[in-house]
Amino acid sequence: MRNATRGLFVAAAAGALLISACSKNATTAETTGTQAQSNITATMATTQADPATADMAATVINRPGVQHLHFSYGPIKILPGQNNIDISGGTVPKPDVDGYIVGIRPNLVHADGTVPGVDVLHLHHGVWLNLGRQDLTDPSLPERIFATGEEKTVIMTPDGYGYPYTAKDGWLINYMIHNLLPTTDEVSLTYDLDFIPKTDPAFATTKAVLPVWMDVQNGETYPVFDALKGSGTNGIYTYPRDATNPYPGKQKNTWTLDRDGVLVGSGGHLHPGGIYDDLYLTRAGASAAPGSAAADSVIGDTAHLFRSEAKYWEPAGAVSWDVAMTVTGNDWKVKVHKGDELSMQATYDVSNASWYESMGIMNQWLATGDEGKDPFVDKVDAPGQITHGHLPENNNHGNTDKVIGPDPATLTAVPADGKVNILDFVYSPGDMENYQTVPSVKEGQTLTFTNSDDKTGNGLWHTITACKAPCNRSTGIAYPLANADIQFDSGELGTGGVPTANRVTWSTPADLPTGVYTYFCRIHPFMRGSFQVTP
Ligand SMILES: [Cu+2]
């Protein structure tokens, strides 16, 4: 795994944009997003991730002719609790000369070089856009070159390939940084590029690849879906396969190839709770060659091409950003034809918690005029490899004995007037840190929450999300979770367009049984509150 020239591709990706339990030898039945609903049985032998052999420095590409360039966009002023989607100005730092980009290591850093904890500042997504080309899978957008999310997957092109960079093309960055705390901050988006300038002899022997962005919500300004606790089958929820009418309009998880080519890299992006992304190819009239190695990976006219798996370092399992995604290795080369349909599915573990506003994205590199394997003859869906191990910014897992307030079940209930105001990150009444009583309502009545912080207009949005009582333990990347037995979630109360619900109020369900309910804010998880429903 330390071989720096192994040339993994990767696509971190997270991508909202204006764009827009790891299975050991698991036999999975998947369907593609096509109407055909064909099933694929993919036998996946997974490898155990080893942090000691997966540090990020090992991913620096040192092929002949490769330069290592450091770029930084920022500093970006971060307001208290902000959670908005922003677009950079037109002056995004990038190489001065034409060439090939062969490796990308994105990060979020303070001026002093330190990387903020994921429990402090969270890089929800950064997508780098090339204004000089159209995006292949959504031509209404500029080309989505590369992306990163909090999993910080290293992006690489396989040996002999590179992303063709043209210095005259303008770049934009679409980014979303969550501030989990009520304090100001300042950070920069950094990206270390491995780059072959056009003047280097290695340029002539490098082949171009273009990015193929696959997304279960491709083209959406905010490409998300909810994976609710208890949905799907046996605690596993796959989108869009398990969703009811996921695409009332146009199918969003597919792309029909507009050219012949070879896919030479693939990697996925998921949010906490996510366990794998699957990439498929459907070819009209095709079927597995009898007795071929591809037989296990093909059902009908659809071949399974790759499963990008989430390897969690998180001790609590698939519940935080302490994770690395697998990407394809150097030898993954899949011959594709014009008219083939690519599709993807994103799978989440919903056995213990709900995952709101989740993503499922896979980025591929596509080369033209090259040799590759036929996915209906050769088995191509081998396990991938991770690009980094546990990262220190994920060290605060939370859920320690240091409580933020008393167990609400031990406090006195005080009849409420039906209203809870949210101001300056405090739920009033009912905030666990600031109240020694619990507001109560009679069975059948509701409590209406209003986000009064929205008026500041800086993307200060809050949620009321059910968590398992007492929900008063220390905050961290793995705590609290949306894991109550009775689930509710307000959406992001605010009026700033996506990702908000475009409203500042939310009322509790009128049919809640009597009992004590605890909740938190998904954006600022140190915010906790409770209420009681009385007979
Ligand atoms: Cu909040």
Side-chain angles (χ1 to χ4, degrees):
M1 292 292 286
R2 277 188 180 276
N3 179 3
T5 61
R6 71 190 182 280
L8 299 176
F9 157 82
V10 175
L17 253 359
L18 79 147
I19 74 176
S20 140
C22 301
S23 46
K24 275 204 170 173
N25 298 318
T27 299
T28 59
E30 312 284 355
T31 59
T32 68
T34 63
Q35 284 98 346
Q37 291 289 301
S38 53
N39 288 303
I40 300 277
T41 300
T43 303
M44 308 288 301
T46 69
T47 48
Q48 201 58 45
D50 177 3
T53 59
D55 61 292
M56 220 184 264
T59 62
V60 174
I61 293 176
N62 285 311
R63 295 173 211 153
V66 174
Q67 300 177 347
H68 306 296
L69 310 175
H70 178 77
F71 297 98
S72 177
Y73 175 78
I76 303 165
K77 280 223 178 310
I78 306 294
L79 295 170
Q82 79 168 48
N83 187 36
N84 55 322
I85 297 171
D86 238 318
I87 308 280
S88 69
T91 49
V92 173
K94 56 193 187 61
D96 294 329
V97 299
D98 292 357
Y100 281 115
I101 295 170
V102 298
I104 306 158
R105 286 170 301 283
N107 212 344
L108 191 66
V109 297
H110 285 128
D112 64 2
T114 58
V115 176
V118 174
D119 55 317
V120 174
L121 275 191
H122 161 66
L123 175 58
H124 196 72
H125 75 253
V127 182
W128 279 253
L129 301 154
N130 175 7
L131 297 170
R133 276 199 288 259
Q134 282 181 315
D135 192 81
L136 273 182
T137 67
D138 187 344
S140 71
L141 303 175
E143 181 183 67
R144 291 169 284 190
I145 315 166
F146 64 95
T148 186
E150 200 58 83
E151 73 275 70
K152 298 179 182 173
T153 307
V154 179
I155 300 162
M156 291 173 266
T157 57
D159 287 350
Y161 297 91
Y163 168 80
Y165 167 79
T166 309
K168 69 171 170 47
D169 290 345
W171 280 14
L172 285 180
I173 308 174
N174 171 306
Y175 61 92
M176 185 179 191
I177 300 170
H178 294 192
N179 184 352
L180 285 73
L181 302 179
T183 50
T184 56
D185 211 327
E186 199 169 84
V187 285
S188 294
L189 277 167
T190 63
Y191 37 110
D192 286 274
L193 302 184
D194 298 325
F195 186 75
I196 302 173
K198 200 171 185 175
T199 49
D200 192 279
F203 182 90
T205 58
T206 303
K207 296 171 188 166
V209 287
L210 290 176
V212 175
W213 182 290
M214 296 294 295
D215 189 327
V216 295
Q217 294 285 20
N218 201 14
E220 285 296 305
T221 303
Y222 187 52
V224 297
F225 61 93
D226 291 340
L228 301 179
K229 181 181 173 184
S231 61
T233 307
N234 297 326
I236 301 292
Y237 178 80
T238 298
Y239 189 90
R241 187 189 69 195
D242 295 338
T244 304
N245 196 20
Y247 307 122
K250 145 179 183 288
Q251 187 92 24
K252 293 173 185 163
N253 67 325
T254 61
W255 179 60
T256 302
L257 280 134
D258 61 355
R259 66 195 71 188
D260 290 345
V262 182
L263 291 171
V264 297
S266 179
H269 166 71
L270 292 166
H271 286 191
I275 47 179
Y276 46 83
D277 286 314
D278 284 297
L279 182 69
Y280 298 92
L281 181 140
T282 300
R283 180 175 296 160
S287 60
S292 72
D296 282 352
S297 304
V298 174
I299 293 285
D301 61 358
T302 299
H304 182 243
L305 302 187
F306 181 58
R307 171 169 291 183
S308 178
E309 291 183 85
K311 304 285 190 184
Y312 282 89
W313 312 117
E314 169 60 53
V319 300
S320 80
W321 288 101
D322 192 6
V323 64
M325 298 297 296
T326 63
V327 302
T328 53
N330 245 336
D331 56 349
W332 189 79
K333 291 184 182 176
V334 183
K335 189 89 177 152
V336 293
H337 300 318
K338 183 178 179 178
D340 288 348
E341 182 187 74
L342 290 177
S343 64
M344 72 159 292
Q345 300 277 342
T347 298
Y348 279 69
D349 179 344
V350 292
S351 58
N352 295 309
S354 289
W355 307 103
Y356 299 99
E357 300 176 41
S358 298
M359 289 186 185
I361 295 172
M362 292 184 87
N363 286 3
Q364 286 62 235
W365 291 124
L366 176 67
T368 49
D370 209 346
E371 287 311 305
K373 290 177 176 171
D374 180 339
F376 293 93
V377 175
D378 304 306
K379 181 174 172 62
V380 298
D381 59 346
Q385 302 156 69
I386 53 171
T387 66
H388 65 77
H390 165 79
L391 302 174
E393 53 264 41
N394 290 311
N395 282 350
N396 180 15
H397 299 273
N399 198 13
T400 67
D401 291 338
K402 189 166 173 268
V403 299
I404 64 161
D407 177 348
T410 66
L411 300 178
T412 308
V414 175
D417 64 358
K419 298 190 183 81
V420 176
N421 188 36
I422 312 173
L423 184 64
D424 289 337
F425 300 86
V426 176
Y427 298 107
S428 304
D431 193 275
M432 280 193 202
E433 227 180 320
N434 296 278
Y435 282 80
Q436 297 297 313
T437 58
V438 175
S440 68
V441 289
K442 293 256 185 255
E443 220 175 338
Q445 295 181 337
T446 62
L447 267 179
T448 297
F449 289 74
T450 301
N451 177 16
S452 296
D453 281 336
D454 179 55
K455 66 182 185 297
T456 56
N458 65 351
L460 183 39
W461 305 315
H462 303 296
T463 77
I464 298 97
T465 304
C467 48
K468 193 164 273 179
C471 198
N472 64 341
R473 291 168 72 87
S474 69
T475 308
I477 60 171
Y479 190 90
L481 300 175
N483 60 352
D485 291 332
I486 296 174
Q487 294 276 293
F488 53 75
D489 181 77
S490 62
E492 294 191 35
L493 297 184
T495 52
V498 288
T500 74
N502 274 319
R503 53 182 159 75
V504 295
T505 64
W506 174 81
S507 296
T508 57
D511 60 353
L512 292 176
T514 57
V516 174
Y517 292 85
T518 51
Y519 61 85
F520 71 113
C521 172
R522 287 190 278 114
I523 316 304
H524 316 104
F526 73 89
M527 293 175 62
R528 317 281 177 82
S530 68
F531 61 88
Q532 192 170 342
V533 175
T534 56

